[in-house]
Amino acid sequence: MADGVPIIRKEMGNLLKVLLLLKRPQKILEVGTAVGYSSIPQNCRITTIENYEKRIPVAKNNFKRAGKEEVITLLEGDAMDILKELDGTYDFIFMDAAKGQYINFLPELLRLMPAG
């Protein structure tokens, strides 16, 4: 936790780096932005979802400070509602939201993943 905000641990960050290097996604979906710690992309576009109003401006500021606001789309609101409205597919999906909701998000996430 940083300043009371749950962020991914160093080990998870390292695992994500390896997975991203292997997969080299062009389009990523992140469910659970928090303050944008894990949303700063290298060479791809990210759509990220956050529902907690107090974290949204912090995440936007972090994207701006990193110079990445052109490649990150922050969708504000309940992930379940937003996921139902998304179309197309994503090369990589990172879910770091309310753990109790994962089972409810899963059908929508599977719909947004490419075959295979």
Side-chain angles (χ1 to χ4, degrees), residues 13-29:
N14 289 336
L15 175 60
L16 280 174
K17 286 178 186 178
V18 169
L19 293 173
L20 294 173
L21 284 170
L22 290 171
K23 181 72 176 162
R24 299 196 184 277
Q26 294 300 305
K27 193 174 170 188
I28 295 174
L29 173 63

Side-chain angles (χ1 to χ4, degrees), residues 38-110:
S38 57
S39 301
I40 307 299
Q42 297 304 313
N43 297 310
C44 63
R45 298 196 59 80
I46 292 183
T47 300
T48 185
I49 303 169
E50 181 57 49
N51 192 37
Y52 190 56
E53 291 177 15
K54 292 181 180 181
R55 292 187 186 144
I56 291 169
V58 178
K60 287 180 178 180
N61 185 53
N62 286 336
F63 300 153
K64 184 176 183 176
R65 287 180 41 218
K68 299 295 185 176
E69 66 266 75
E70 296 298 319
V71 295
I72 300 174
T73 302
L74 175 58
L75 303 176
E76 302 174 28
D78 183 85
M80 195 68 236
D81 296 334
I82 291 171
L83 289 170
K84 288 178 181 178
E85 295 180 8
L86 294 177
D87 53 7
T89 60
Y90 292 86
D91 304 316
F92 192 92
I93 297 176
F94 176 55
M95 189 164 44
D96 191 21
K99 309 308 183 239
Q101 294 299 313
Y102 283 15
I103 193 73
N104 298 318
F105 295 158
L106 186 60
E108 293 300 325
L109 296 175
L110 291 173

